Amino acid sequence: MATTSSEQQKPFPSLTMPTVLWQLSAFAELTGYQVYHIIQAREQVFVKDQNCSYVDADGVDFAALHLCAYQQQAANSSSSNANLELQLLAYCRIIPPTVTADGFPHIGRVLVLADYRGHGLARQLMLKAIDYCHNQFCNQPIHISAQTYLIEFYQTLGFVCIGDVYSNDSIEHVNMVLAAL
């Protein structure tokens, strides 16, 4: 199921190449290296940056699809044939409707690492996740749990708030839904 595509992007000042490699994978298709860096990124953004203490290992990752944006870079090596590594820039997981309590697809754990924010990567990540959900899940409405400071961002993608604001691990959230096509 793993798919990849490359797209030209606005150059990132801290990156050596302006190309982002997109990969969508089931958990079993991820390498140990990829899983490690996904967990590391989620801890960096949600635990360290947002000072949020939560249980990340919720068992959902096994059934979810993992959408990653990578930057390819040369690895440091003393040999003349340096290996190429993929550096994770952005990530989200797509939870199929068969796994969710409400029977609708969900997009969650959306993140862009701090060094790569402000270049439209979050929008591209969400558009790819939305496109996948609409194509694979019979155009069902897509649900997210959004941090309230991101409501306007998600509204620009067509999401609308449903329900009241609630606290999730001491951070205000609101449920949002994007209507089926």
Side-chain angles (χ1 to χ4, degrees), residues 23-168:
Q23 183 177 352
L24 178 68
S25 304
F27 186 82
E29 297 169 327
L30 296 169
T31 66
Y33 175 86
Q34 290 172 306
V35 171
Y36 177 86
H37 284 97
I38 289 168
I39 292 169
Q40 184 180 47
R42 290 180 354 189
E43 286 180 353
Q44 177 64 44
V45 171
F46 301 123
V47 177
K48 187 174 179 194
D49 295 350
Q50 296 180 357
N51 196 27
C52 179
S53 198
Y54 77 109
V55 177
D56 189 36
D58 59 3
V60 176
D61 286 321
F62 299 113
L65 296 166
H66 303 271
L67 179 58
C68 300
Y70 291 106
Q71 173 68 41
Q72 197 167 42
Q73 62 183 15
N76 293 332
S77 175
S78 58
S79 70
S80 60
N81 295 327
N83 293 324
L84 290 179
E85 289 185 14
L86 296 177
Q87 179 176 340
L88 186 64
L89 309 176
Y91 166 85
C92 73
R93 70 178 182 183
I94 299 168
I95 305 168
T98 55
V99 178
T100 63
D102 59 12
F104 295 110
H106 287 241
I107 300 171
R109 302 287 202 267
V110 179
L111 67 87
V112 176
L113 290 164
D115 288 346
Y116 311 106
R117 293 179 189 148
H119 298 278
L121 200 51
R123 176 169 301 285
Q124 291 175 31
L125 177 73
M126 284 302 297
L127 289 173
K128 287 183 178 302
I130 290 166
D131 186 54
Y132 179 83
C133 288
H134 281 314
N135 288 324
Q136 295 299 312
F137 304 126
C138 303
N139 293 319
Q140 294 183 25
I142 301 165
H143 290 246
I144 61 172
S145 175
Q147 293 182 12
T148 55
Y149 82 94
L150 292 168
I151 289 173
E152 287 182 25
F153 166 72
Y154 288 118
Q155 286 174 330
T156 67
L157 296 168
F159 285 88
V160 295
C161 295
I162 54 172
D164 296 325
V165 172
Y166 61 94
S167 179
N168 187 3

